Amino acid sequence: MTSLSRLTRRLADTPSDFLSDDVSVPAVVSDLLVAAGEPGLDARTALPFESSERGWLRLVLVACWLLADEEFRAGDQERIVEFLTEVLLPLADLVDAGKFVNDPDRREELARLALRSLGLSPDGETAAVAADRLATVDSVRRQEVLRAARAAEERAA
C-alpha cells in the first residue's frame, strides 16, 4: 500500500528541471530503471524516448520524478515503460505536463495512474475503490465520454 498524499506532495515539489526541454529524457528514464533494480535502456529501448513530442516528453520527466520515490523502488521495467509510453502518451495530448505539478486533481490523476500501472493501491483503498476514484479524475476517460456524448447528440439530431 502506498500513501497517495505523499505522492501528490512529491509531484507538487517537482523540480523545475523536470519541466525543461533541455533534459535528456532517455537518460532520465534509464536512470529511473536502474534505480528500480532493472536494466537501463539500450539503443533500441531508448528510441521511443527520443520522440519530438515535447509535451509527452515533459510528462515522462514529471512521471520519472514521481516514480523515483522510494514507494516505487522495486520496479518492473515492462510496467514502467508501458506506463511512460502507453498510459502517458494519450494523456499528454489532453493535458500540459505542468498541470500535473500545479493542479491538485491532475497530481492525483498521475499518482493514481502510476499506482494502477504498477499494480499498487493507495493506502486504505480496495482495488474497486481505487478504480472508482481514478475514474473521477481520469482525463482520458472524461474525453472519451465527451466524444461519445457528442456522437450520440449528433445521431439524435
Side-chain angles (χ1 to χ4, degrees):
M1 296 291 224
T2 306
S3 170
L4 185 65
S5 62
R6 174 189 166 131
L7 298 176
T8 57
R9 180 75 242 157
R10 181 173 179 83
L11 284 168
D13 293 338
T14 302
S16 60
D17 290 346
F18 283 83
L19 290 169
S20 170
D21 290 335
D22 298 329
V23 176
S24 170
V25 176
V28 172
V29 172
S30 193
D31 288 349
L32 171 70
L33 293 170
V34 169
E38 297 289 328
L41 298 177
D42 58 30
R44 182 187 58 76
T45 57
L47 282 176
F49 300 103
E50 294 171 1
S51 168
S52 61
E53 297 290 328
R54 292 309 309 162
W56 171 65
L57 291 174
R58 289 175 69 221
L59 182 52
V60 167
L61 290 172
V62 171
C64 284
W65 169 255
L66 174 66
L67 295 175
D69 186 85
E70 65 188 36
E71 301 266 358
F72 295 114
R73 285 296 174 183
D76 172 329
Q77 182 170 7
E78 187 175 318
R79 282 183 165 190
I80 291 170
V81 171
E82 183 177 297
F83 169 66
L84 296 175
T85 55
E86 295 177 29
V87 174
L88 295 187
L89 194 56
L91 191 57
D93 288 339
L94 299 174
V95 183
D96 179 71
K99 289 205 179 233
F100 294 99
V101 173
N102 299 316
D103 181 89
D105 288 339
R106 299 298 58 87
R107 288 193 300 262
E108 181 179 353
E109 177 180 17
L110 186 59
R112 287 185 177 281
L113 285 169
L115 289 169
R116 182 191 68 188
S117 294
L118 299 179
L120 302 171
S121 294
D123 287 340
E125 294 182 14
T126 64
V129 169
D132 185 55
R133 291 192 178 163
L134 174 58
T136 65
V137 293
D138 190 334
S139 298
V140 173
R141 177 73 180 126
R142 184 178 317 115
Q143 188 64 29
E144 290 169 353
V145 168
L146 289 172
R147 272 192 228 123
R150 277 190 222 116
E153 286 176 8
E154 289 172 6
R155 281 191 305 273

